[in-house]
Amino acid sequence: MTEYILLTFALVSFFGILSQWLSWFIKLPSIIFLLLFGIVVGPVLGLFDPDALMGELLFPFVSMGVAIILFEGGLTLRFHEIKGLTRPLYMLLTLGLVLTWILVAVSTHLLIGLSWELSILFGALMTVTGPTVIKPLLKTVRPHADIANILHWEGVILDVAGAILIVLVYKTITLQHSGAMIPLSLASIIATGIISGASGAFLLAFLLRHYLLPNFLHHVFTLTLVLVIFTLSNAIAHESGLLAVTLMGMVLANMKNVSTDDILFFKESLSLLFLSVLFIILSARLDLFALFDIGWPALGLLGIILFVVRPLSVMLSTLFSDLTLRARIFLSWIAPRGIIAAAVSALFAIRLEEFGYTEARLLVPLTFMVIMGTILLQGLSARSFAQWLGLREAEPTGMLILGANRVSREIGKSLKQQGFAVKLADTDWENISTARMEGFDTYYGRVVSDHADRNMELSGIGKLLAISPHATLNALASTRFKSEFGSENIYYLQNTEGKKLEKSKASHSRIVGRQLFTEDVTFSKLSSLLHGQGEIKTTTLSEEFNLETYIQAHNSKVIPLYLLDKDGNLYFFTTDHELKPKNGWKITSLIYEDKERE
């Protein structure tokens, strides 16, 4: 039996991570695959019964998972990062939330026949959009920046605010059966959550600021403290734990002189695992027959949520705003639900059944129906819909240049003059400072790092130019960005160290991508020429003045860098492909003939 339990958990974890990999590989939301795996091994094949396997530990496990996910959600809510709390966003977070809550509650009561208490709870569940679904969706769709900003922060903030609303609604329902004074009890829950969460945040901040925790204990202690705060808060005031850990994350994220980046990365990884496992477990518990029994009213409710509630809340919330009608229409279509709605509905449904609400068993299948409907319909159509509305950003043509040295800056200047976005990244502060003074967008740090993955903005960037003098770093960066840009958009400049690596058998250090210019052009050569009398110039080719004539005119003292065709498309000279420019194309080269000869 023990071996069977271990094997089951191992397979669930494996399928969870496999779903995340498939999401990355196929560019679809991971929840699609998580739901598929859970439903197949659960209600379809009957191979996995979480209730029988985990028994009384199931819901403590789910509660713990939700607590960690909500803490991580609070930890990402850094108020200074919200790029202007625009009026449309503010209205969506207030008026939009209330409208969604009320309209879904009324529709659920009228169509499904649930009691008003359960309908109001279901309405609260539907106010939470899923940032774990929104983020990958935005990467795939690439809508205009103002739309992406609204959707991103709506998901992040409602994930926290909606969870708090759900807890308060649930407690209001259960308090009716305990004889307690509802306002006083709710105030007690809120006060306990605030005090517990703030205490945990200040305790952790104190330990971090005064270096009373060694680095190797940061992650483990934080996890332990989150679970302790969650448990203690619940012990003092039942169901205040979720509020406490959410506020703990929010307070910690917005404290000064407290670095939470490492903790956030650890929590993101842990939350990813919990999210994957939780979704498979919860979807394996799904009662498909209960959903079938509801029949057409369930599909009618889904239709109202998709085509009435969301459009109405968005249109009213964005009334008189600067958003175009097309942008408002697109926002009206995008509101996928995620793990918080699924987990909390499962967590509270069984407890409500204990209070005599037999219809509470319908909360989970209804919630999963909305999750599947919004993800499948909205997620799969969002890209085409944005394209049809003309709201997609153009294919990214900007350059991420690894290195802010003289060679990188000079090539970057010429690219900027041609209208391309350029971002320089380097670990050398002097290089970065010089680049910033020259007007470049920069990133200070290693591009192959957790910090870069979380903080380096790559909007509009579609190519990598690895022009660092360090071949190993070039190799790591080319491998890191291969999946994001594609190997055909990875370019690197050879150097002496790189030639040694190519001759070695250390295949892990070899650079992925296309070698720039020609075999004899190295970083050292370009650096030497640019520090001498070399200069980068652009010339328009013609039928009479073609590439061959151009090179002859400069006595072969020229290194062609790239071409621009009449439509503005960019083509770098590389060792793997011979370019044949046409009449009217522009060529940019490093010319190093003596200026006296010019």
Side-chain angles (χ1 to χ4, degrees), residues 187-204:
S188 173
I189 291 170
I190 295 172
T192 303
I194 292 174
I195 294 171
S196 300
S199 300
F202 281 106
L203 172 61
L204 183 58

Side-chain angles (χ1 to χ4, degrees), residues 126-147:
M126 292 300 101
T127 63
V128 182
T129 57
T132 53
V133 185
I134 287 288
K135 191 173 181 180
L137 190 64
L138 293 178
K139 280 188 175 182
T140 303
V141 177
R142 295 200 321 274
H144 290 171
D146 55 344
I147 299 173

Side-chain angles (χ1 to χ4, degrees), residues 481-494:
F481 290 100
K482 177 185 175 182
S483 61
E484 193 145 354
F485 300 148
S487 56
E488 70 278 5
N489 292 315
I490 304 292
Y491 300 89
Y492 67 93
L493 183 59
Q494 187 63 283

Side-chain angles (χ1 to χ4, degrees), residues 233-519:
S233 186
N234 270 341
I236 297 170
H238 195 49
E239 303 301 346
S240 66
L242 294 179
L243 174 61
V245 294
T246 304
L247 292 176
M248 178 180 171
M250 288 174 58
V251 172
L252 197 61
N254 291 281
M255 282 184 170
K256 294 182 179 180
N257 304 319
V258 177
S259 177
T260 59
D261 286 342
D262 289 339
I263 294 172
L264 179 58
F265 175 69
F266 172 71
K267 289 298 179 198
E268 285 175 342
S269 301
L270 195 62
S271 294
L272 183 68
L273 179 60
F274 265 109
L275 183 149
S276 303
V277 172
L278 276 179
F279 234 107
I280 291 178
I281 288 175
L282 295 175
S283 54
R285 297 184 68 253
L286 190 58
D287 186 355
L288 294 178
F289 292 105
L291 195 57
F292 294 150
D293 288 342
I294 301 172
W296 290 108
L299 291 178
L301 179 61
L302 175 62
I304 288 175
I305 291 172
L306 287 172
F307 301 111
V308 178
V309 175
R310 176 64 177 180
L312 190 60
S313 65
V314 169
M315 288 299 175
L316 290 177
S317 298
T318 58
L319 200 63
F320 308 118
S321 70
D322 295 332
L323 292 174
T324 64
L325 178 60
R326 289 179 301 167
R328 294 167 70 196
I329 291 172
F330 182 74
L331 288 172
S332 298
W333 180 237
I334 305 299
R337 272 64 175 187
I339 185 62
I340 295 301
V344 176
S345 66
L347 196 61
F348 291 162
I350 195 164
R351 294 179 183 175
L352 286 170
E353 286 188 72
E354 295 173 357
F355 281 96
Y357 291 95
T358 56
E359 295 171 329
R361 64 185 180 85
L362 298 178
L363 287 176
V364 176
L366 284 174
T367 302
F368 271 86
M369 177 197 66
V370 176
I371 292 172
M372 288 186 284
T374 54
I375 289 173
L376 289 174
L377 294 176
Q378 297 175 351
L380 298 179
S381 65
R383 182 170 180 168
S384 301
F385 193 46
Q387 186 75 42
W388 181 70
L389 290 171
L391 296 175
R392 290 194 73 208
E393 294 283 0
E395 289 295 325
T397 58
M399 319 285 162
L400 172 63
I401 300 182
L402 180 57
N405 48 70
R406 175 72 182 278
V407 176
S408 301
R409 296 198 305 273
E410 292 300 325
I411 293 176
K413 283 179 189 175
S414 71
L415 289 168
K416 284 183 68 177
Q417 289 170 359
Q418 302 300 334
F420 292 97
V422 175
K423 180 188 285 285
L424 302 184
D426 207 320
T427 56
D428 188 303
W429 177 248
E430 186 176 345
N431 284 343
I432 288 292
S433 298
T434 304
R436 287 178 179 174
M437 287 189 288
E438 293 178 359
F440 283 103
D441 183 18
T442 63
Y443 173 76
Y444 175 55
R446 290 174 61 91
V447 296
V448 185
S449 67
D450 301 330
H451 185 272
D453 289 342
R454 296 193 302 273
N455 297 286
M456 186 166 61
E457 179 59 50
L458 293 177
S459 297
I461 302 295
K463 290 180 173 66
L464 170 71
L465 304 184
I467 312 181
S468 158
H470 309 293
T472 303
L473 182 56
N474 291 342
L476 291 171
S478 65
T479 302
R480 157 65 182 83
F481 290 100
K482 177 185 175 182
S483 61
E484 193 145 354
F485 300 148
S487 56
E488 70 278 5
N489 292 315
I490 304 292
Y491 300 89
Y492 67 93
L493 183 59
Q494 187 63 283
N495 53 32
T496 305
E497 180 189 353
K499 288 183 177 181
K500 291 179 181 178
L501 285 175
E502 287 294 326
K503 291 178 182 178
S504 74
K505 294 184 179 180
S507 58
H508 63 279
S509 297
R510 293 182 183 176
I511 302 179
V512 174
R514 310 169 68 183
Q515 184 178 337
L516 286 167
F517 317 132
T518 60
E519 292 287 354

